[in-house]
Structures are given as C-alpha cells and as structure tokens.
C-alpha cells in the first residue's frame, strides 16, 4: 500500500531507493560496513555472542533454586527459544551478507523487522513477547560489546555492485554516525526529528543528497526494504509508490542531474558581480579529506573547518596534538595556498562527544546543552586541551594561510583569555622549535550579545564570521533541532536581518573582514540579500557553491544595495525581497 509522510525539506532533489532502518536502542549500537572478505567472520562473531548469551541463560536456569517461581524458568525458556530461532540469527545474517552491516547493526535491523511482526499479532500474550525479544537483543549486543577486539575494521564503500540504492531512515542520526555514513552507500536521509539547521540536515546538504527531517513517524511507519521516494524539494516521503509515480520522480531525478551538470561548468568562472565586485566563495568542511571536494567545487578557500569532528568516535579519548596537527596540515596543503579558517572545537548541543567524554565534561544532566558548557566555554574550562589544539593549529600555519575562528563568544573577558592563551602557545612553540606564521584571529557572531557589542569585539580581532544557524536560534529563542517549533525558525525575521546587516556594516566600517558561514550563505534565496547588505565573503558546503555562484554572476550589487532599505523596513521582508531584489538581477543565463 502506498502512503505519504510529510516533514521538513532540508536538502533539495529526489532520491529513490530501499529503506534502511536504524532502530533506536537502549544500548548504543555502532553502524558501519564490513569488507566482503570479512563477512563470514562477522557472522561468526554474531554466533559466538549468541552462544555466550545462551550459555549464560542455561546456567541461570540450571542454578534456579527449587522454590523459584515456575514462571521464571518458563521466561528463560522463552528467551532461549527466541535466541535459537532461525528468524533471529538467520535474519541478522542476511543483513550481514547482503548489506555488509556489522553484527550490531544487523541485529538491531532484524529486531526492527521482528518487532513489527509481534506488533501485528492478534494474540495479546504473543504480542507482549516483543519485550522479551528486545531483552534478548540487548543481551547479545552486550556480549558483542564485551568482545570488541574481534570486530573488523569499519569500511565505508561508495556502493555495492548489484545493490538497489539505499535510503537511511531513523528517529535521529547522531553526528558521529553521520560521519560514518558520509561517504557510504546512502542516497538520502529521513529522520523523525530535526529542523532545517539540525546536524543531519547540514550534513545531508554537504553530501548533496536529498533529505527530509521532522517527519515524527517515519521510522515507525516505514519498514525495512520498502521502496521509498524522498522529495527533498517538497519535504515529502512517498512509501511504496505506484509505477506511474515512480516514473514521474525518476524523470525529475534525471532533470536534477542535468541541472547539476550545467552548474558544474561554472567551476572555473570567477565569482564577480555584473558591476565588478569580486566575491569570495569559501567552503565549510568537517574533515581534512573534504578539502579536495572544496577545490573541485571551485572554492577559493575554507571558511569553516569544523574541528570538533576530529574529536568524535574516539571512545572518550581526545586527539593528540600531533594527530590534530596532521589533520590541519593535510587540509591546508590540500587547499594549495588558499586560506583555511579553523574553528576551535564546538562540542555540546547537537554535537556531543561520546558518552564517556560527555560525562567527564559535566554535560550528562544539562537540561539545555545549547545554553550550557559548550564551544569556547568548554575550551576555556579545559585549558590544557585548548592549548593543545591551538598549538596544532599554529604549527599547521607553517604550511599555508591559516585563520583561527572562535565559536560562541559573548564576553570581552573571553576574548582577553583567548589572546592570553594564544601568547602562551606561541611562546611554547618558539621554545620547542616549532615553526609557525601569523594567524589571523576571528570570532563567530552567533549570540545576539556579540552582535550588539560588535564594535567592542572588533578592537581585539582581525575578522568576524556570522554563524546564522545559532544566531537565528538564540535571537528567536527556538531550538533549531526541535521539529515542534521548527516552523518558527525564520531566517527572514526582521530582527535576524537587522542583526546580520548591522554586523556586516560595522565590520566593514572598521576595516575588518566579515563572512557568513551559516546555512544562509549557501541558500541561493539569500544570495542577493546578503550582497545588498555588503557581504563579499560567503562560506558554504562545497555542493552549494555552483548555485550561489550563478546568483552572484547575475547580480548587480549597486542596484541590490539601493533596494535594501525597503526590504529591511518591510513587514514582509521575504515578499519584499522577492519583488525588489529580483529587479536587480539579470535573467540572462550563464554558460
């Protein structure tokens, strides 16, 4: 039966494929792919874990005291029966051999399949056995966790020959998992929660694949292996589509691919407006390897290297100074002399570290991590870690142009502490004989307080970068990852536009560099508006550069600036911008 699920459109385009469900579990489950020559060994690892749990249950049963309730022995028998059922391990084995899932992922995927079968049973007693199944799965997952030394090294294949395209469906996808999935087989994402600037949405856009978030019920309604269409333009998910609908969307897919190919021809075209203004189009990256994609897309630098992703998937261990230095150096060298702006670690909110580290950082019981000990607040609270990261960044500056960006600054006292720490780090490097060059210091404008006090901040820094995602969130008091209030997240809100305009104007007046590195920078709907405000440096995911460059090439910045006042004073800024700024754009196609 075909049906539709509606959510929030966050990454454009159409994706068609089979659903892969990542089930929620009370036990953390690793999700990665296994090499072909390791599949049998991975299945054997699952069988060993199953046998260990079976032995444990049989021992418990044998050691039951004589006066133990009969129901307890019967319950252990049920668990043993489920454990040895072919649908349990055999089904999980299919996920391993056919999809190359690791054992933990295969087991949680099979749990999802079997749990739905239990839900559909008419008999109340049988239906309630789902809880027993969940307990058995958690026991086996625990056994797998105890034998992690046997686990194979993860791989992230781009595709498996002969496989159908795969779409990932989950209640939510942790940032650490997104990094694992980033270069794998998935052609699209669907999540129950999230908003336009939640982490899943941002990474989906960076991968240039369709995604719909905030669907609420998708992971419950969609079943493993269902054929699914993601309409990333409309925010619609179509499950088990009819042949007519499927063909229509395949046609749209082909059209989208042609449009991408046309825009790709702009790669070597300088980003210059019709009136001769040179525009910087930089890239946002998460890992050093992303720098190559930035160069390929025609980026003129890296405007945001999110260094926190070097800190994830590490089981509580922070990266060493040498490890960080190697990563930053690799990104700098890959950019071939173009500037690389490295943001110091920004953990917290939607990007926690793994559980062990989060507990150590006192995040475990924080009710609102977006307002808690995160970003520069955490760095200043962990001075040894902060100095270590700064030393790695400064050492990388010997291999190219590096700029240092500090997130979530709100107080002058923080800036003074940062400057003092930088001096200590420079002295440490000099004493150790490490080479480094001058590194420009910048702060992110993402808290309204920073935007309001910007003239004071500009006395102490070389540049500013406006992080529109958090600036909107904090200005409008909206959790950007909460689908319940996602409709209130409005980049066109007059207060947001005023803060962005004032920040750009004040930075330019002070002769300091200013860029926008939030999602607004990569959205072509905002390109003319930001140009009108005087912005000349944009930073976005590499996949977004061609579409923004096309808007730049068609724009006349002088005519745009003349229309800006009417947009900012309007009660309907979006509607006014569409009317006023469109007249300052040429309709001539760019080839």
């Amino acid at each position: 039966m075909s049906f539709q699920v509606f959510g929030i459109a966050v990454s454009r385009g159409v994706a068609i494929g089979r659903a892969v469900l990542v089930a929620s579990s009370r036990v953390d489950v690793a999700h990665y792919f296994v090499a072909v020559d390791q599949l049998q060994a991975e299945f054997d690892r699952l069988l060993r874990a199953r046998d260990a749990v079976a032995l444990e249950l049989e021992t418990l049963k044998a050691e039951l005291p004589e006066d133990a309730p009969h129901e307890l022995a019967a319950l252990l028998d049920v668990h043993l029966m489920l454990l040895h059922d072919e649908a349990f391990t055999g089904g999980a084995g299919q996920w391993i051999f056919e999809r190359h899932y690791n054992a933990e992922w295969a087991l949680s995927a099979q749990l999802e399949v079997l749990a739905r079968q239990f839900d559909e049973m008419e008999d109340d007693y049988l239906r309630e056995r789902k809880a027993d199944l969940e307990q058995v799965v958690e026991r086996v997952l625990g056994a797998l966790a105890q034998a992690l030394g046997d686990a194979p090294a993860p791989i992230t294949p781009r595709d498996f020959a002969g496989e159908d395209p795969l779409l990932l469906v989950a209640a939510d996808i942790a940032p650490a998992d997104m990094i694992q999935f980033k270069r794998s087989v998935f052609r699209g994402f669907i999540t129950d929660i999230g908003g336009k600037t939640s982490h899943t949405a941002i990474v989906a856009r960076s991968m240039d694949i369709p995604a719909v978030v905030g669907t609420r019920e998708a992971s419950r309604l969609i079943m493993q292996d269902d054929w699914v269409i993601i309409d990333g333009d409309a925010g619609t998910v179509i499950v088990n589509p009819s042949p007519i609908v499927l063909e229509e969307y395949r046609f749209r897919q082909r059209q989208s691919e042609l449009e991408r190919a046309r825009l790709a021809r702009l790669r070597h075209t300088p980003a210059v407006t019709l009136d001769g203004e040179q525009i910087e189009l930089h890239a946002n990256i998460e890992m050093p390897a992303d720098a190559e994609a930035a160069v390929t897309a025609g980026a003129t630098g890296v405007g945001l290297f999110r260094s926190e992703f070097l800190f994830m998937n590490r089981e509580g261990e922070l990266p060493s100074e040498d490890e960080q230095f190697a990563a930053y150096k690799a990104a700098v060298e890959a950019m071939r002399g173009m500037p690389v702006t490295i943001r110091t670690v920004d953990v917290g909110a939607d990007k926690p570290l793994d559980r062990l580290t989060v507990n150590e950082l006192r995040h475990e019981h924080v009710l609102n991590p977006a307002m808690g000990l995160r970003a520069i607040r955490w760095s200043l609270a962990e001075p040894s870690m902060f100095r270590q990261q700064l030393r790695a960044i400064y050492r990388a500056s010997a291999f190219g142009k590096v700029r240092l960006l500090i997130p979530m600054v709100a107080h002058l006292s923080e800036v003074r502490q940062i400057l003092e720490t930088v001096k200590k780090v420079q002295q440490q490097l000099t004493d150790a004989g490490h080479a480094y060059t001058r590194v420009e210091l910048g702060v992110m404008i993402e808290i309204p307080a920073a935007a309001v006090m910007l003239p004071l901040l500009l006395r102490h820094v070389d540049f500013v970068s406006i992080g529109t995602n958090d600036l909107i969130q904090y200005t409008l008091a909206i959790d950007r990852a909460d689908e319940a209030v996602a409709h209130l997240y409005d980049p066109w809100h007059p207060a947001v536009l005023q803060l962005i305009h004032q920040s750009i104007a004040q930075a330019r007046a002070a002769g300091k560099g200013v860029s926008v590195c939030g999602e607004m920078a990569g959205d072509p709907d905002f390109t003319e508006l930001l140009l009108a405000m005087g912005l000349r440096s944009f930073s976005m995911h590499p996949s977004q550069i061609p579409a923004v460059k096309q808007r730049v090439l068609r724009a006349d910045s002088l005519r745009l600036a003349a229309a800006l006042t009417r947009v900012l004073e309007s009660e309907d800024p979006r509607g006014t911008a569409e009317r006023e700024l469109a007249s300052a754009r040429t309709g001539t196609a760019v080839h």
Side-chain angles (χ1 to χ4, degrees):
M1 181 184 71
S2 180
F3 62 91
Q4 294 185 9
V5 179
F6 300 95
I8 300 167
V10 295
S11 186
R12 297 173 180 175
V14 172
I16 302 170
R18 288 195 179 274
V20 174
L21 268 70
V22 176
S24 299
S25 171
R26 284 172 283 179
V27 177
D28 288 336
V29 176
H31 301 96
Y32 57 87
F33 295 98
V34 177
V36 175
D37 60 356
Q38 292 292 314
L39 295 178
Q40 183 60 52
E42 186 68 354
F43 183 58
D44 292 342
R45 189 168 77 93
L46 174 62
L47 294 181
R48 286 195 298 273
R50 179 203 64 182
D51 292 343
V53 171
L55 179 61
E56 179 186 355
L57 294 176
E58 287 166 353
T59 302
L60 285 172
K61 184 181 176 184
E63 295 177 352
L64 282 176
E66 292 184 5
D67 59 346
H70 171 72
E71 292 80 8
L72 190 53
L75 181 61
L76 291 173
D77 283 335
V78 169
H79 283 205
L80 282 164
M81 180 187 68
L82 289 169
L83 200 58
H84 290 293
D85 193 308
E86 176 60 21
F88 183 75
T89 49
Q94 278 189 287
W95 297 114
I96 293 173
F97 288 109
E98 294 179 9
R99 289 284 177 80
H100 301 199
Y101 292 177
N102 64 301
E104 292 86 349
W105 188 0
L107 197 59
S108 62
Q110 187 62 9
L111 168 62
E112 187 72 21
V113 172
L114 296 176
R116 303 221 179 183
Q117 293 176 6
F118 277 100
D119 286 338
E120 292 168 1
M121 293 177 178
E122 294 183 6
D123 185 275
D124 289 343
Y125 175 81
L126 292 176
R127 194 164 56 245
E128 289 171 3
R129 299 285 65 78
K130 183 176 82 169
D132 295 311
L133 177 66
E134 291 171 342
Q135 291 169 12
V136 168
V137 168
E138 290 192 11
R139 278 182 176 273
V140 180
L141 288 172
L144 286 166
Q146 289 176 3
L148 273 179
D150 298 335
I155 63 168
T156 52
R158 292 188 179 276
D159 209 346
F160 296 127
E163 294 273 354
D164 293 321
L166 303 179
L167 310 180
L168 192 66
V169 184
D172 192 19
I173 307 172
D177 273 343
M178 287 297 293
I179 294 303
Q180 290 281 9
F181 295 146
K182 188 168 182 180
R183 291 178 180 84
S184 62
V185 299
F186 298 111
R187 309 290 177 84
F189 295 107
I190 304 166
T191 62
D192 294 347
I193 67 174
K196 278 188 174 293
T197 55
S198 62
H199 187 74
T200 302
I202 291 171
V203 174
R205 281 192 290 271
S206 77
M207 295 167 67
D208 196 21
I209 60 174
V212 174
V213 303
T215 60
R216 298 188 178 227
E217 298 289 326
S219 69
R220 187 181 66 82
L221 296 173
I222 300 172
M223 300 183 71
Q224 293 280 8
D225 268 358
D226 276 347
W227 274 102
V228 174
I229 295 172
I230 298 176
D231 185 338
D233 299 308
T236 305
V237 176
I238 305 170
V239 184
N240 295 321
S242 67
I244 294 175
V245 172
L246 196 58
E247 187 53 41
E248 177 189 341
Y249 275 94
R250 281 183 172 145
F251 173 77
R252 286 180 53 183
Q253 229 179 3
R254 291 191 292 271
Q255 293 296 107
S256 179
E257 289 166 3
L258 289 172
E259 174 65 11
R260 280 196 182 96
R262 188 182 69 81
L263 288 175
R265 295 202 297 269
L266 298 175
R267 173 190 168 189
H268 298 296
T269 304
V272 181
T273 63
L274 293 172
D275 56 318
E277 287 287 326
Q278 182 77 41
I279 308 299
E280 294 179 339
L281 297 182
H282 290 174
N284 297 344
I285 66 173
E286 279 98 32
M287 301 296 282
D290 298 337
E292 287 296 337
V295 173
T296 301
T300 53
V302 170
L304 177 63
F305 182 161
R306 296 183 171 99
S307 67
E308 55 271 14
F309 288 94
L310 299 175
F311 289 67
M312 294 179 178
N313 292 332
R314 302 186 58 87
E315 300 180 2
E317 293 185 7
L318 299 178
S320 67
E321 177 183 328
D322 286 342
E323 187 179 346
Q324 290 186 65
F325 162 65
Y328 304 143
K329 176 175 175 282
V332 170
E333 290 181 331
M335 292 308 296
R336 306 166 195 173
M338 293 181 282
V340 176
T341 303
I342 303 173
R343 183 176 70 185
T344 56
V345 62
D346 183 7
V347 294
D350 63 342
K351 289 173 294 186
L353 299 185
D354 62 66
R355 183 164 298 175
L356 172 63
T357 309
V358 169
N359 289 347
E360 291 175 350
L361 300 180
R362 305 182 295 280
H363 276 81
E364 185 176 15
H365 302 296
V366 175
L367 295 179
N368 189 348
M371 300 283 191
L373 188 66
R374 57 166 290 203
I376 188 56
R377 298 171 182 177
W378 177 57
S379 294
L380 292 175
E382 299 285 339
S384 176
M385 182 285 306
F386 189 38
R387 288 194 298 270
Q388 184 182 74
Q389 182 174 34
L390 291 179
R391 284 195 298 271
I393 292 172
Y394 268 80
R395 287 171 61 188
S397 72
F399 298 87
K401 185 176 181 181
V402 171
R403 305 199 310 169
L404 176 65
L405 182 60
I406 309 296
M408 207 177 174
V409 168
H411 302 273
L412 277 175
S413 59
E414 292 169 335
V415 176
R416 294 190 182 100
Q417 282 182 270
I418 293 162
L419 291 170
E420 189 176 313
T421 304
V422 165
K423 287 182 180 178
K424 289 181 181 177
V425 163
Q426 290 173 329
Q427 187 59 54
Q428 289 173 344
L429 292 176
T430 300
D431 294 343
H434 288 302
Y436 66 91
T437 60
R438 182 177 183 274
V439 174
E440 290 185 354
L441 174 67
V443 295
M444 290 195 71
I445 305 302
E446 48 192 343
I447 298 176
V452 172
M453 64 180 288
L454 185 55
L456 295 178
L457 291 173
L458 289 169
R459 298 174 187 173
H460 303 278
V461 300
D462 300 302
F463 70 97
V464 295
S465 186
I466 303 171
T468 54
N469 304 346
D470 272 336
L471 183 62
I472 297 166
Q473 170 175 249
Y474 293 132
T475 301
L476 303 182
I478 292 167
D479 183 348
R480 58 191 175 98
D482 185 351
E483 77 280 1
V485 293
H487 63 287
L488 297 174
Y489 184 91
D490 182 13
W492 289 98
H493 192 287
V496 171
L497 299 185
Q498 290 289 351
L499 286 175
I500 294 172
H501 178 230
Q502 290 168 15
S503 298
I504 294 170
Q506 289 171 349
R508 284 172 60 101
K512 301 295 177 74
V514 55
S515 67
V516 170
C517 64
E519 290 302 299
M520 284 176 69
D523 188 340
D525 290 344
F526 290 97
T527 303
E528 285 94 351
L529 177 64
L530 293 172
L531 288 171
M533 290 179 176
L535 187 71
R536 298 296 180 263
S537 182
F538 297 66
S539 190
M540 67 206 73
H541 294 293
S543 63
Q544 297 169 315
I545 290 175
V548 172
K549 183 181 285 189
Q550 178 176 252
R551 287 293 186 103
V552 168
L553 295 171
R554 294 177 174 179
D556 184 319
S557 64
L558 291 175
R559 293 175 65 187
L560 289 171
L564 179 63
T565 301
R566 292 188 291 276
V567 175
L568 295 178
E569 293 178 351
S570 172
E571 294 182 0
D572 175 24
R574 183 170 195 164
T576 304
E578 289 174 352
R579 292 190 303 272
E580 297 286 343
L581 300 183
S583 64
R585 182 197 315 149
T586 176
T588 305
V590 177
H591 299 287

